[in-house]
Amino acid sequence: MNPLHEPNREELIDLLNRCWMTHDGMWFYHCLQEFGIEKANHLNKAAIKSLAPLEIERILKALGIEQKIESFQQFKGFFERAAPLFIPPFMNASMNFPGGNTLHWAFAPKQCFAYKGIRRIGAIDRYECGVIYRLKCWFDSLDLTYRLDPPVEGCLMLAGDACSGDFEFIFP
């Protein structure tokens, strides 16, 4: 008999995220089958928006952050600690801080996990991106002011291979 493998921290994060994203994808798929793409997009965004404040509260507590985020440095510290818990390598995303008060995101060409899944079920042409919307809802839950460039409604990978952009944060 082989000894049991004890997953390390990264393996656990990956497993939990894969299970969560598979559940999320199956939920979207069944909403799409039952109600059509418009309703599936609406329900997906409603679920994300109502989940974000709960996620943010739990993340802040888990990271021991008790004060309101009032500067870009505080935000950057928060995001650098939270992102590895929710944006594992299989999502094919990179997030970095190129300068100023900017968070840059980019997905490997045609490799966004949501793009691949929604394309597989045949709804990519009318899918409203839930990935960037989730980040927006997180930032709204943190009561942050930002500009998003480019604006994201549908899937940016439909117009080309890439999905990338910037959140520029505005602090008093």
Side-chain angles (χ1 to χ4, degrees), residues 4-120:
L4 294 179
H5 171 73
E6 280 295 321
N8 64 32
R9 180 180 190 266
E10 288 76 25
E11 290 170 326
L12 285 173
I13 290 170
D14 184 74
L15 173 64
L16 293 172
N17 275 291
R18 283 180 189 272
C19 290
W20 172 248
M21 291 298 103
T22 301
H23 173 273
D24 184 55
M26 291 295 98
W27 178 89
F28 188 91
Y29 173 75
H30 287 284
C31 286
L32 173 70
Q33 295 300 307
E34 187 78 20
F35 305 115
I37 188 64
E38 292 84 12
K39 194 66 165 176
N41 281 324
H42 172 76
L43 291 170
N44 191 42
K45 286 185 168 182
I48 292 167
K49 188 173 187 172
S50 62
L51 174 64
L54 302 171
E55 280 185 310
I56 288 298
E57 182 181 327
R58 290 172 182 163
I59 295 167
L60 291 171
K61 183 178 179 182
L63 297 178
I65 300 171
E66 296 178 6
Q67 74 277 8
K68 181 177 175 5
I69 294 175
E70 296 179 333
S71 72
F72 186 72
Q73 256 338 94
Q74 287 177 320
F75 167 73
K76 184 179 175 186
F78 159 78
F79 195 81
E80 287 176 334
R81 292 176 63 205
L85 302 174
F86 293 90
I87 308 169
F90 80 82
M91 290 184 172
N92 299 308
S94 65
M95 306 274 175
N96 60 57
F97 299 94
N101 288 354
T102 300
L103 167 63
H104 178 76
W105 90 83
F107 286 89
K110 298 293 187 195
Q111 294 302 307
C112 168
F113 72 100
Y115 166 81
K116 290 178 4 182
I118 300 296
R119 188 188 69 200
R120 194 176 304 124

Side-chain angles (χ1 to χ4, degrees), residues 84-156:
L85 302 174
F86 293 90
I87 308 169
F90 80 82
M91 290 184 172
N92 299 308
S94 65
M95 306 274 175
N96 60 57
F97 299 94
N101 288 354
T102 300
L103 167 63
H104 178 76
W105 90 83
F107 286 89
K110 298 293 187 195
Q111 294 302 307
C112 168
F113 72 100
Y115 166 81
K116 290 178 4 182
I118 300 296
R119 188 188 69 200
R120 194 176 304 124
I121 63 174
I124 194 63
D125 59 325
R126 296 186 39 219
Y127 172 66
E128 295 177 12
C129 179
V131 178
I132 302 305
Y133 185 74
R134 184 178 182 198
L135 290 174
K136 287 172 56 175
C137 290
W138 272 18
F139 304 152
D140 292 343
S141 295
L142 288 166
D143 201 27
L144 300 177
T145 302
Y146 58 88
R147 282 190 286 272
L148 178 60
D149 182 39
V152 177
E153 292 299 323
C155 178
L156 293 179

